Amino acid sequence: MMVAFTEMISFIQSHGYMALFLIFSIGLFFFPVPNEILLMSGGLIATTAYVNPIPAMFVVYASILVHGTSLYIVGHFLGTKSIPIKEERSIWYRRALKGKELLDRYGLKAASFSYFFPFIRHAVPFSVGLSAISYQRFAAIGFSSAFVWMNLYYWIGFHYGRSIKDWSSFVQQLIYTLIGIAILFGIYTFIKYRRERHRKQQPNDQ
């Protein structure tokens, strides 16, 4: 990981914001690390002398726009061309199935929380593209949510990047932070589930 990060820094040192954009545009699809770690790494990079924090933040956000737009376009192309997605082992099949399930259940609201979950941030934009929902409606809801998601992890990385100089310690602290966020979110989801379950059971108890 240290070698990969060093190469990333060297690339950004040589090519600036364009390198940052390319790294994140590709990384959101293919890097074998959680997207949250990638975003926090962006915050760490923003503490170096090679980029400035605010412009770097918008460059990272632009890469997220490319990510979501690309998935929507692929889904829209497959939908308009009526190309069947039959292979159950295909990643596109799994994304279409999961995204459709969320759209059927929540409608376009699914786009408002999709970026906060590792798998469905890829599934929902793709499935929205397959549907009749316009890109403008998807972008207005999905990308505003993505902006909040990105800033959360970007500035966490920036905070740790200013206070921690050792890369191993940095990664360890990021993992602890992710675990803490996951625990808090799990508690919130459990409480919400219990309340909804209690609310649905009340009419039956009367």
Side-chain angles (χ1 to χ4, degrees), residues 109-155:
K109 290 181 181 178
S112 68
F113 60 77
S114 63
Y115 274 93
F116 290 89
F117 297 91
F119 181 78
I120 65 174
R121 74 175 60 110
H122 306 290
V124 169
F126 175 69
S127 294
V128 172
L130 284 171
S131 71
I133 298 173
S134 69
Y135 174 78
Q136 289 79 4
R137 292 182 62 202
F138 159 70
I141 295 176
F143 291 149
S144 58
S145 171
F147 187 74
V148 175
W149 168 71
M150 179 214 68
N151 271 278
L152 172 64
Y153 292 102
Y154 178 88
W155 292 110

Side-chain angles (χ1 to χ4, degrees), residues 17-48:
Y17 294 104
M18 180 57 68
L20 183 67
F21 175 75
L22 290 175
I23 288 170
F24 278 80
S25 296
I26 297 171
L28 288 169
F29 285 102
F30 301 114
F31 280 13
V33 295
N35 290 162
E36 288 80 4
I37 294 292
L38 185 63
L39 294 178
M40 287 189 279
S41 298
L44 172 62
I45 292 170
T47 64
T48 68

